[in-house]
Amino acid sequence: MTPQDLNKPIHVLKFGGTSVATPELIRNAAQRIARRRDSGVHVVCVVSAMGDTTDRLLSLAREISTRPPSRELDVLLSAGEVQSMALLSMALNELGIAARSYTGQQGGIRTDAQHSEAKILSIDPDRVLEALNRDEVVVLAGFQGHDDRDEITTLGRGGSDTSAVAMAAALEAERCEILTDVSGVFTADPRIVEGARQISALGYDEMLEMANLGAKVLHGRSVELARRFEVSLIVASATADTAGTRISRKDDSMEKVEVRAVTDDRNVKKISLLSVPDTPGVAARIFGSLGEFGVNVRLIVQAQSHAGHNDITFVVPGDTPLDDKRLEQLVTEVGGENWIIDDRIALLNIIGEGISRAPGIAGTIFKILADQKINLDLISSSNLVITCVVPEGDLVRGTRALHEGLIETDA
Ligand code: ADP
Ligand code: ASP
Ligand code: MG
């Protein structure tokens, strides 16, 4: 079967953890799905684990083992989504709606074998299409898949968004809605910045930067997939029926702004390799080895060399398993002197398509932070983003000040 064989368009609705945290919320979700179905479309829902289930399962695992086998950890974590998919399907059946739940494997989500950070390789939506053809609602477990040996894999924290977008792409769905505990994508995390404003529409590129730089409302890889397959993506409230934020290819109807959003990310650490020789091939060896460890490097800074030596500094996600032992090995390998790990830093990111067009913007940003007496540890900039590495303790104050100075004054 192909999506074209169906007689109605498909809508994918994804419910996040807080939106299915209790039986009452699950019943609310079922009612929303029922209304959508009554509007004349096929519905595929993708669910996360209830509330903080994934965190609870992780700490249970840690009580049993300090280094649980990654295969077993994925088996355990996948149980969170299995629980919510079955409950949501029951709630739909209670409303008299034919619904059936599917694990990632039953839904045809095939991934690579990288436990806890698996990438989706392909989707075989046959069973899902057959169910829709029988006019059933499909409830799919997010965050999980299976590799080519039928082992259970998970897609990384927040990965249910990616399951939803990937399924929407495979089904050529008319839209994919990410339903969550905020009413859309905001100009900053609304839990930190009181004056944050909801954005009505934005392009994939800006959203991708936001998601990769701390706006956890969407999993970065879900935005990448949405851009690649041009999935029409909407972020909206799971409980209120309001418009939300539309994410699509940039078009002329979208508001033109210099600075779109300010994001904060404290889940990072900074690593400096000190006094490594300033000779060709050293950086290639360092970052080649880091690549082999699977380290995802976020920002690299190398300054002017002194007496034939350099310091190389980079920022990695906070949970990257780079410890003193690994770094000692790396520094010795390239003939460096020492290393420093600093996890008390955070990233403050200013994102917007106008950043490269506005020559004065860097000065304005640094003045705002200077007025707050916030010290800039590192700075990096690209077409869409200026990132400042600041002490973690200054993150909230810096985010609020930048939002006020760059976005609220722009109202
Ligand atoms: P879910 O469980 O539905 O997947 P998440 O907790 O993963 O929800 O994502 C929603 C959260 O993202 C919000 O509660 C909000 O605090 C946070 N967030 C961070 N930055 C932003 C932003 N720019 N716009 C909206 N929400 C944001
Ligand atoms: N339950 C998983 C997590 O907590 C996946 C998700 O919610 O998207 O990370
Ligand atoms: Mg999420």
Side-chain angles (χ1 to χ4, degrees):
M1 275 201 88
T2 70
Q4 285 76 33
D5 297 325
L6 298 175
N7 54 358
K8 293 184 279 191
I10 302 172
H11 287 188
V12 174
L13 307 187
K14 180 254 170 181
F15 290 86
T18 35
S19 314
V20 290
T22 63
E24 195 183 351
L25 284 163
I26 292 178
R27 277 195 290 270
N28 283 348
Q31 269 156 6
R32 183 166 184 150
I33 294 160
R35 286 198 297 277
R36 184 60 62 87
R37 188 167 173 271
D38 288 348
S39 75
V41 296
H42 286 298
V43 182
V44 173
C45 12
V46 177
V47 284
S48 290
M50 294 170 75
D52 62 357
T53 301
T54 308
D55 289 327
R56 279 193 298 107
L57 292 173
L58 268 174
S59 49
L60 264 178
R62 281 194 209 106
E63 278 185 43
I64 300 287
S65 160
T66 49
R67 300 189 70 195
S70 57
R71 175 190 187 275
E72 303 310 331
L73 204 53
D74 273 359
V75 173
L76 180 69
L77 294 190
S78 70
E81 271 70 14
V82 170
Q83 184 183 34
S84 38
M85 78 183 199
L87 290 170
L88 180 57
S89 177
M90 287 177 202
L92 285 161
N93 279 286
E94 273 299 301
L95 296 177
I97 293 174
R100 206 181 272 230
S101 64
Y102 295 82
T103 63
Q105 178 166 21
Q106 291 171 325
I109 300 193
R110 196 169 68 83
T111 70
D112 63 19
Q114 184 76 39
H115 285 294
S116 85
E117 266 302 326
K119 306 278 175 305
I120 296 177
L121 297 178
S122 63
I123 295 190
D124 171 3
D126 263 8
R127 274 188 83 170
V128 172
L129 286 168
E130 279 160 20
L132 296 177
N133 197 37
R134 292 193 298 270
D135 224 13
E136 291 170 4
V137 168
V138 169
V139 184
L140 178 75
F143 180 54
Q144 56 179 264
H146 70 111
D147 70 10
D148 56 11
R149 291 178 308 141
D150 283 349
E151 298 287 7
I152 295 174
T153 55
T154 64
L155 309 180
R157 296 306 305 269
S160 295
D161 300 335
T162 298
S163 310
V165 173
M167 193 43 96
L171 295 172
E172 298 172 27
E174 192 174 69
R175 57 206 282 182
C176 177
E177 296 179 26
I178 306 293
L179 302 171
T180 181
D181 59 357
V182 284
S183 57
V185 179
F186 283 69
T187 49
D189 186 342
R191 294 189 198 287
I192 292 186
V193 179
E194 218 176 287
R197 294 202 302 258
Q198 191 176 319
I199 303 166
S200 57
L202 81 167
Y204 294 122
D205 292 334
E206 284 172 313
M207 188 65 235
L208 183 58
E209 295 291 353
M210 287 179 68
N212 282 338
L213 293 168
K216 74 161 187 163
V217 64
L218 282 177
H219 195 225
R221 279 159 47 205
S222 72
V223 187
E224 246 171 76
L225 278 180
R227 178 172 67 177
R228 179 135 61 96
F229 294 101
E230 288 213 21
V231 174
S232 163
L233 196 58
I234 290 159
V235 176
S237 160
T239 46
D241 232 334
T242 48
T245 300
R246 179 169 58 89
I247 299 141
S248 58
R249 191 134 60 109
K250 187 99 194 145
D251 70 45
D252 287 342
S253 70
M254 289 184 190
E255 191 192 354
K256 291 200 171 45
V257 292
E258 252 164 32
V259 176
R260 175 70 70 187
V262 178
T263 67
D264 60 285
D265 190 354
R266 60 179 70 236
N267 181 27
V268 286
K269 58 187 175 191
K270 184 183 79 172
I271 293 174
S272 304
L273 305 183
L274 306 179
S275 209
V276 298
D278 182 24
T279 48
V282 168
R285 271 164 66 195
I286 294 172
F287 293 100
S289 300
L290 291 173
E292 277 166 30
F293 292 156
V295 174
N296 174 7
V297 179
R298 300 271 292 272
L299 184 157
I300 303 174
V301 179
Q302 181 189 305
Q304 185 75 38
S305 71
H306 304 281
H309 285 80
N310 265 327
D311 295 341
I312 297 185
T313 299
F314 51 93
V315 174
V316 295
D319 53 5
T320 304
L322 268 182
D323 52 11
D324 285 321
K325 201 165 142 232
R326 280 236 155 116
L327 289 172
E328 181 177 11
Q329 241 175 21
L330 193 61
V331 167
T332 315
E333 205 181 292
V334 295
E337 257 171 33
N338 209 345
W339 68 93
I340 302 172
I341 306 180
D342 184 355
D343 59 7
R344 289 156 311 166
I345 54 112
L347 304 185
L348 246 177
N349 311 288
I350 300 89
I351 298 163
E353 289 213 314
I355 282 183
S356 55
R357 289 196 305 266
I361 195 119
T364 309
I365 290 169
F366 303 149
K367 169 86 172 57
I368 292 171
L369 295 175
D371 287 346
Q372 293 290 322
K373 309 237 171 338
I374 295 177
N375 190 44
L376 297 178
D377 195 349
L378 301 172
I379 300 163
S380 104
S381 70
S382 70
N383 261 350
L384 281 175
V385 188
I386 294 181
T387 295
C388 304
V389 176
V390 299
E392 193 177 356
D394 292 337
L395 182 64
V396 169
R397 197 158 41 90
T399 309
R400 288 179 180 154
L402 284 174
H403 190 273
E404 196 181 334
L406 298 168
I407 297 178
E408 284 168 52
T409 50
D410 202 30

